[in-house]
Amino acid sequence: MPLLVVGSVALDSVETPQETRHNVLGGSAVFFSFAASYFTSVKLVSVVGDDWPDAHTQLLKSRNIDTAGLQVVPGEATFRWRGKYLPNMNDRETLEVHLNVFEHFDPVLPDDYRRSKFLFLANGAPMLQLKVLEQAGGAQLAVADTMDLWIREQRPALDQLLRRLDGLVLNDSEAKLLTGEENLVRAGHIVREMGPKFVVIKKGEHGAMFFSKHETYVLPAFPTEQVVDPTGAGDSFAGAMMGFLAERGEFDPVTLKKAMAYGIVVASYTVEAFSLDRLKGISRPEIDQRLSLYQKMLSF
Ligand code: AMP
């Protein structure tokens, strides 16, 4: 089943202790769409300026991602993010965020997009996420991501959004910030009580935790020695997770757990190179092979 995603499309500059890259393809909706495209067809809704290289759109199209909802606004600049990783390659500092054309993005979904059964509101302002949710009346599963910026600066809108979501994906420090709770197990359930039926807390190199009313579990990350650039790991985790759910057309607890495992496996590819460099070279059989290796590691 098709999957609709709304979020940022960006030009990222990334500094790691080893290397720096400027203006590479990034953005929450880009990593999400690319990862999801190994499982289902994806409709991408976002906005860029006229500095956006058309080659990036062609790359997305080559993975069967529908870019009809990617607006190009003349005279405006694309969203830009600059970040720096600490030597542990897990923690990062945001050095610059220029929302640019993304700041006033006001998407109007075409009719056929409104009927999408699977919806992901990738990282973006909660007001924008709410506007999309209101238009996507056909969504049977609506899941969102958020970040520290919005938790700090747009809390009332975020609270409103949380009450209407089926699922929320966020990282460990964001869960602590949102709840004021240091214990992640307690934090996960507190976030769940704010509205979403399930909550996923991503923990970078330590994997991800799942919380619903009836289940609490943790899945480790797929062990990889080659961590070149973790940017987009969280978004590609969510992309593979939602992609698999959309492919199956269901989201019962067993399917959700397998979807989490796919998320972890696909994210382990993302970190192995800058931008989409590793993700664009993989195939579904390769993903499935790594998934079965992961499954073997976990059986005892
Ligand atoms: P992740 O590493 O999965 O948390 O995602 C990193 C991506 O999120 C980068 O490609 C950025 O372009 C994008 N990003 C960073 N800050 C924001 C923001 N405030 N709103 C939307 N997207 C963002």
Side-chain angles (χ1 to χ4, degrees):
M1 274 184 200
L3 168 62
L4 177 65
V5 58
V6 184
S8 62
V9 168
L11 295 172
D12 288 343
S13 293
V14 182
E15 290 176 31
T16 73
Q18 280 73 37
E19 216 182 319
T20 297
R21 293 283 173 98
H22 293 289
N23 298 325
V24 294
L25 172 57
S28 56
V30 168
F31 285 106
F32 179 94
S33 304
F34 221 82
S37 73
Y38 289 99
F39 301 88
T40 193
S41 54
V42 184
K43 295 178 195 308
L44 167 68
V45 175
S46 192
V47 69
V48 289
D50 54 13
D51 54 351
W52 177 249
D54 185 56
H56 291 342
T57 305
Q58 297 313 320
L59 177 67
L60 296 169
K61 281 185 176 165
S62 74
R63 288 275 342 138
N64 215 6
I65 296 164
D66 180 350
T67 57
L70 180 63
Q71 286 176 38
V72 182
V73 182
E76 295 259 9
T78 301
F79 174 90
R80 275 164 207 258
W81 174 81
R82 188 160 78 89
K84 180 182 175 171
Y85 286 88
L86 304 188
N88 67 17
M89 290 298 273
N90 214 28
D91 299 315
R92 78 175 173 214
E93 226 180 297
T94 290
L95 302 175
E96 284 175 53
V97 180
H98 300 285
L99 291 175
N100 297 333
V101 69
F102 195 55
E103 186 166 6
H104 302 291
F105 180 43
D106 191 7
V108 178
L109 301 184
D111 274 352
D112 60 324
Y113 280 37
R114 289 171 194 242
R115 290 191 288 272
S116 300
K117 293 196 167 62
F118 290 80
L119 170 67
F120 190 73
L121 304 162
N123 195 2
M127 269 322 284
L128 170 83
Q129 292 174 310
L130 267 169
K131 274 188 183 169
V132 174
L133 189 60
E134 268 154 24
Q135 294 175 49
Q140 288 175 358
L141 184 74
V143 179
D145 191 354
T146 193
M147 71 178 302
D148 51 356
L149 178 73
W150 314 122
I151 297 171
R152 284 203 188 88
E153 293 183 11
Q154 297 197 13
R155 187 61 193 265
L158 182 60
D159 285 338
Q160 214 182 318
L161 175 78
L162 289 176
R163 288 194 286 274
R164 301 184 47 186
L165 289 176
D166 297 303
L168 181 74
V169 177
L170 73 177
N171 71 29
D172 44 3
S173 59
E174 291 155 358
K176 289 178 186 177
L177 183 68
L178 185 59
T179 59
E181 172 60 62
E182 281 296 314
N183 178 295
L184 278 182
V185 182
R186 275 201 293 266
H189 286 294
I190 295 172
V191 178
R192 193 179 53 71
E193 280 157 16
M194 294 175 180
K197 294 182 192 72
F198 69 85
V199 174
V200 175
I201 299 183
K202 300 167 285 176
K203 302 196 300 164
E205 62 177 336
H206 301 298
M209 299 171 88
F210 180 90
F211 303 89
S212 69
K213 194 167 180 198
H214 305 290
E215 274 187 309
T216 305
Y217 58 79
V218 56
L219 289 179
F222 181 84
T224 172
E225 284 182 40
Q226 200 186 343
V227 182
V228 173
D229 172 19
T231 309
D235 303 312
S236 36
F237 164 87
M241 182 185 96
M242 289 296 288
F244 179 70
L245 295 174
E247 180 187 55
R248 284 291 171 93
E250 53 198 346
F251 39 89
D252 57 276
V254 174
T255 314
L256 265 167
K257 200 177 217 171
K258 191 162 182 186
M260 288 266 296
Y262 266 117
I264 281 166
V265 163
V266 172
S268 76
Y269 285 110
T270 304
V271 304
E272 288 177 357
F274 280 92
S275 183
L276 292 176
D277 290 358
R278 181 69 176 107
L279 217 50
K280 68 187 178 197
I282 59 172
S283 63
R284 181 63 184 271
E286 250 181 281
I287 296 172
D288 284 334
Q289 232 175 340
R290 198 175 269 196
L291 185 85
S292 52
L293 199 61
Y294 180 64
Q295 201 159 13
K296 275 198 201 109
M297 280 175 191
L298 294 186
S299 64
F300 54 87

